[in-house]
Amino acid sequence: MKKIFLLSVLATVFYFTSSAQMNDNTYKKEWAAIDSLILVKSLPKSALKKVNELYADANSKNLEGQSIKALLYKMSLEAMVNDNDGNAQLLLLEKEINTAKNVAQKSILQVILANAYQMYFNNYRWRIYQRSKTVDFKKEDPATWNADDFEKTISTLYTKALAPATQLQQTDLKPYSAIIVEGNTKGLRPTLYDLLTHKALDYFKD
């Protein structure tokens, strides 16, 4: 079950990274080399080494968009080269949320984590609905969660992510352009709050 959960996390990670346009040219050569190692040469260990270097450099320079993008690559590559379960990836995200440098970065990471749980639930809904509810039982492994556990966790993450509405509405999108997909209608979602709200609505409308 843990391996299945891992695949769900990986799918979430690749969804975010592969769909992002190159609006931020920082580390352009480095990302091209990393993508080549992954997609052309099939050398995930070598790619992970370069991603870790980029991740550390982006953090030291407070390049938050690049740092988050590198984190997503880091998660997926570590899962490829190390024999760990999906919980390791979630714990890494939780750690990043707890150590986020500002409100905007924390909210983005909370939405990413919520999306990871949401994708897992959608992929294995039929199995989850067969699980019974438990009371006074500490569930550290999401592979044991029932539908209510997922709903509560996902809803809480989205709610917390959108709570600092004023700060998110005033946040400049430029520092996060490395992980933002620009749509065809300019100005449709002009603030970070609009972007994150759109992701949350995709969940709550269902």
Side-chain angles (χ1 to χ4, degrees), residues 15-24 64-66 68-69 72 104 108 112 168 171-185 187-196 198-199:
Y15 170 79
F16 275 87
T17 57
S18 65
S19 61
Q21 298 174 355
M22 294 302 294
N23 304 313
D24 183 350
E64 295 165 15
Q66 292 289 340
I68 293 173
K69 180 178 179 179
L72 298 179
I108 291 172
I112 291 174
L168 295 175
T171 298
D172 184 5
L173 291 177
K174 188 175 181 180
Y176 303 98
S177 57
I179 56 171
I180 294 175
V181 178
E182 292 184 354
N184 296 325
T185 306
L188 181 61
R189 303 184 185 101
T191 71
L192 182 58
Y193 180 76
D194 296 315
L195 290 171
L196 299 184
H198 177 72
K199 293 295 296 180

Side-chain angles (χ1 to χ4, degrees), residues 119-136:
M119 181 169 287
Y120 172 81
F121 179 81
N122 289 340
N123 287 342
Y124 302 101
R125 183 189 305 263
W126 60 274
R127 186 175 298 174
I128 294 169
Y129 277 131
Q130 294 177 1
R131 298 173 187 163
S132 60
K133 297 181 181 181
T134 56
V135 180
D136 297 328

Side-chain angles (χ1 to χ4, degrees), residues 5 18 28 34 41 44 48 61 79 81 115 125-126 129 137 140 150 156 160 165-166 169 175 200:
F5 185 70
S18 65
K28 185 175 182 179
I34 290 168
K41 300 179 181 179
L48 178 58
K61 296 177 180 177
V81 302
N115 194 73
R125 183 189 305 263
W126 60 274
Y129 277 131
F137 178 68
E140 296 181 350
F150 277 96
T156 298
K160 287 182 177 180
T166 300
Q169 288 168 350

Side-chain angles (χ1 to χ4, degrees), residues 81-193:
V81 302
N82 299 320
D83 187 19
N84 54 25
D85 57 49
N87 287 350
Q89 316 309 312
L90 297 179
L91 289 174
L92 179 58
L93 265 179
E94 292 280 5
K95 180 180 178 181
E96 291 289 328
I97 289 172
N98 293 332
T99 59
K101 296 179 180 179
N102 58 54
V103 168
Q105 187 178 19
K106 186 173 185 176
S107 290
I108 291 172
L109 292 171
Q110 286 171 326
V111 167
I112 291 174
L113 181 56
N115 194 73
Y117 283 126
Q118 180 184 348
M119 181 169 287
Y120 172 81
F121 179 81
N122 289 340
N123 287 342
Y124 302 101
R125 183 189 305 263
W126 60 274
R127 186 175 298 174
I128 294 169
Y129 277 131
Q130 294 177 1
R131 298 173 187 163
S132 60
K133 297 181 181 181
T134 56
V135 180
D136 297 328
F137 178 68
K138 188 176 181 180
K139 300 180 180 181
E140 296 181 350
D141 186 353
T144 66
W145 292 2
N146 59 45
D148 287 346
D149 296 322
F150 277 96
E151 191 279 329
K152 181 178 179 180
T153 300
I154 296 169
S155 297
T156 298
L157 283 166
Y158 279 124
T159 300
K160 287 182 177 180
L162 297 175
T166 300
Q167 295 98 314
L168 295 175
Q169 288 168 350
Q170 297 172 350
T171 298
D172 184 5
L173 291 177
K174 188 175 181 180
Y176 303 98
S177 57
I179 56 171
I180 294 175
V181 178
E182 292 184 354
N184 296 325
T185 306
K186 188 176 182 180
L188 181 61
R189 303 184 185 101
T191 71
L192 182 58
Y193 180 76

